[in-house]
Amino acid sequence: MLRTTPKVNKIYLLIRAKDKEAAFHRLKAEIMESELFKCLEEMHGETYKLFIQNKLIPIVGNIYEPNLGMDIITSDKIAQEIDLIVDSAAITTFDERAKLYGWQDTYSFTKAIGEMMINNMRDEIPILIIRPSGITSSYKEPFPGWIQGFRIVDPLVFFYRKGDLPGLLADPNCLVDLVPVDMVVNTTMAAMAKHGNLQNPQLNVYHVASSSINPVSFSQIFDYSYDFFQLFPFVNSKGDKYEVKKMRFFDKISDFENYIWEVLSKQHEVQDGKELTKIQIRLIKKKVEYLKNFSKLYEPYLFYKGWFDNGNVRKLMGDMSEEEKRSFEIDVTKINWKNYIENTHIPGVQKYVLEGKRVN
């Protein structure tokens, strides 16, 4: 926002911290000095820090507390000044089940609860709900490939590159609904621009998704990953090079478990030229058990048959000028998934997530 709409007056950032000094330290470390903001620093040069300090105002608070953890004076002041509120907080753990209520995990369950509460409490306040699918690295802005942390298919792809995941409990034709992070941000900003100034207390929902108009499947993702790691194989800290094979897919947990056990056992035998030791057997069992539990956890998504309609996003594009479309890219049909996965996403994860981390 500060790069594309620099005339914005102020952005108040609610930061969980013990005091103002700690909040500013987080702002400095996680935003001002982050790789993502380098292009903004280049734009402003010596005035960058002053620009950021004038635009980004850290506020000590906590979404779990009444009044968002803010004191009354601060919250009243902010309420008089702001035009828009953007909330992207969520419980992102998947390891708690919510099937009692008809949901496959805590993440989607709490999102649904949040939306229902907002709708019931919003009164005459216009509300935008942005529902992105699986968020991946940036497509173009501010530069291709930026990502923070492992997302969606990344754990699977990077287990695969080390030979730890030669098979997958999944439907190879299952669509993996992915969307780059910059397209999510651009859609949010375009939707805010469209609805923010309207005195219309409606609730509008935007699905920022790709499955209905530019689908990509699990088999395609692992074909592209295979091609990438054939050219750029993973080499661990000892100099060992890992050669990947084509991904195999399974629809039964027992077949998946047996295959993983078989492949990992052979890998150890080949490396040592001996029969497996008790320690190696325990390590393989541990890996197999982890992958089995991991697969069970994500099983609802690995065999998912649905897709998400992004009709409202397409209507939003129709309301944008050509200049706005160039400045705020939201058209997922422009993504060539093979090119994006091989030349943008995997290199981006390696650079911005894994670089500098110790990998065995």
Side-chain angles (χ1 to χ4, degrees):
M1 181 177 288
L2 293 178
R3 181 177 55 83
T4 55
T5 55
K7 291 183 179 180
V8 65
N9 188 22
K10 289 180 183 178
I11 300 175
Y12 290 100
L13 294 177
L14 189 72
I15 297 177
R16 187 167 59 181
K18 63 179 181 180
D19 53 36
K20 290 182 179 179
E21 184 179 351
F24 181 76
H25 177 75
R26 282 194 64 187
L27 174 69
K28 184 172 181 287
E30 298 178 22
I31 295 180
M32 292 176 64
E33 297 177 354
S34 72
E35 185 74 23
L36 188 62
F37 277 66
K38 292 295 183 185
C39 59
L40 197 62
E41 185 175 2
E42 291 173 1
M43 287 172 60
H44 291 274
E46 294 180 357
T47 63
Y48 169 68
K49 288 185 178 180
L50 182 62
F51 173 79
I52 290 291
Q53 289 171 6
N54 288 335
K55 297 290 186 179
L56 298 184
I57 313 299
I59 301 295
V60 177
N62 192 327
I63 61 169
Y64 289 111
E65 297 177 6
N67 207 38
L68 299 179
M70 295 184 288
D71 61 76
I72 295 298
I73 295 175
T74 300
S75 61
D76 286 348
K77 179 179 183 295
I78 292 174
Q80 293 172 14
E81 294 185 6
I82 60 173
D83 298 306
L84 297 165
I85 299 173
V86 179
D87 170 43
S88 61
I91 294 175
T92 56
T93 54
F94 283 77
D95 54 353
E96 297 176 37
R97 293 293 183 176
K99 288 190 175 181
L100 177 63
Y101 302 99
W103 300 88
Q104 61 257 33
D105 55 62
T106 314
Y107 176 74
S108 52
F109 177 53
T110 53
K111 281 286 191 181
I113 290 176
E115 289 187 10
M116 287 186 284
M117 289 184 64
I118 287 172
N119 191 35
N120 289 333
M121 300 172 65
R122 66 188 178 89
D123 197 24
E124 295 296 305
I125 299 175
I127 298 291
L128 275 176
I129 293 178
I130 309 294
R131 293 177 182 162
S133 56
I135 298 178
T136 56
S137 60
S138 56
Y139 178 62
K140 287 197 304 188
E141 303 294 344
F143 45 82
W146 180 85
I147 190 171
Q148 188 175 43
F150 272 158
R151 296 287 184 268
I152 313 302
V153 297
D154 297 337
L156 300 175
V157 169
F158 284 86
F159 280 145
Y160 172 68
R161 77 166 183 162
K162 292 175 61 180
D164 288 339
L165 189 69
L168 188 64
L169 183 70
D171 178 357
N173 298 314
C174 175
L175 300 183
V176 190
D177 204 311
L178 305 176
V179 62
V181 61
D182 49 335
M183 290 193 175
V184 176
V185 173
N186 288 340
T187 302
T188 303
M189 292 177 64
M192 288 193 303
K194 177 180 178 178
H195 299 282
N197 293 322
L198 299 177
Q199 300 301 314
N200 191 340
Q202 289 184 337
L203 185 150
N204 292 277
V205 179
Y206 287 85
H207 288 154
V208 190
S210 61
S211 55
S212 63
I213 55 174
N214 189 12
V216 62
S217 66
F218 272 117
S219 62
Q220 288 175 300
I221 286 175
F222 280 99
D223 282 345
Y224 305 153
S225 300
Y226 172 82
D227 291 341
F228 179 86
F229 294 125
Q230 283 291 301
L231 291 174
F232 307 102
F234 170 64
V235 180
N236 68 10
S237 57
K238 299 176 183 178
D240 300 324
K241 186 182 293 185
Y242 289 75
E243 183 178 342
V244 296
K245 296 182 179 179
K246 284 283 189 177
M247 176 63 79
R248 285 189 59 179
F249 293 89
F250 298 88
D251 57 8
K252 294 180 181 178
I253 189 71
S254 57
D255 293 340
F256 167 74
E257 184 178 0
N258 291 337
Y259 180 71
I260 297 296
W261 175 266
E262 177 186 337
V263 172
L264 295 184
S265 298
K266 285 182 179 178
Q267 285 178 359
H268 282 278
E269 288 174 355
V270 169
Q271 289 172 6
D272 298 338
K274 303 175 183 178
E275 290 188 4
L276 296 174
T277 65
K278 290 183 179 180
I279 294 177
Q280 287 175 324
I281 291 174
R282 281 200 300 270
L283 288 173
I284 293 171
K285 279 185 177 179
K286 190 175 180 180
K287 276 188 178 180
V288 171
E289 191 64 24
Y290 174 81
L291 291 173
K292 186 173 73 171
N293 292 334
F294 184 91
S295 298
K296 285 182 178 179
L297 180 64
Y298 285 91
E299 187 175 359
Y301 301 96
L302 300 174
F303 291 91
Y304 191 68
K305 299 297 182 183
W307 50 270
F308 298 93
D309 178 60
N310 73 337
N312 281 348
V313 175
R314 294 199 299 273
K315 291 178 184 176
L316 182 62
M317 281 193 288
D319 294 332
M320 297 168 68
S321 68
E322 291 303 315
E323 182 180 351
E324 288 171 335
K325 289 177 185 178
R326 286 191 295 271
S327 299
F328 300 92
E329 181 64 81
I330 64 175
D331 187 359
V332 295
T333 64
K334 292 184 178 180
I335 302 172
N336 178 312
W337 288 114
K338 178 176 173 60
N339 180 62
Y340 170 76
I341 295 292
E342 295 182 21
N343 298 316
T344 299
H345 184 66
I346 294 179
V349 174
Q350 291 189 148
K351 180 175 182 179
Y352 298 110
V353 180
L354 296 179
E355 194 171 89
K357 292 187 178 181
R358 181 175 176 271
V359 181
N360 294 320

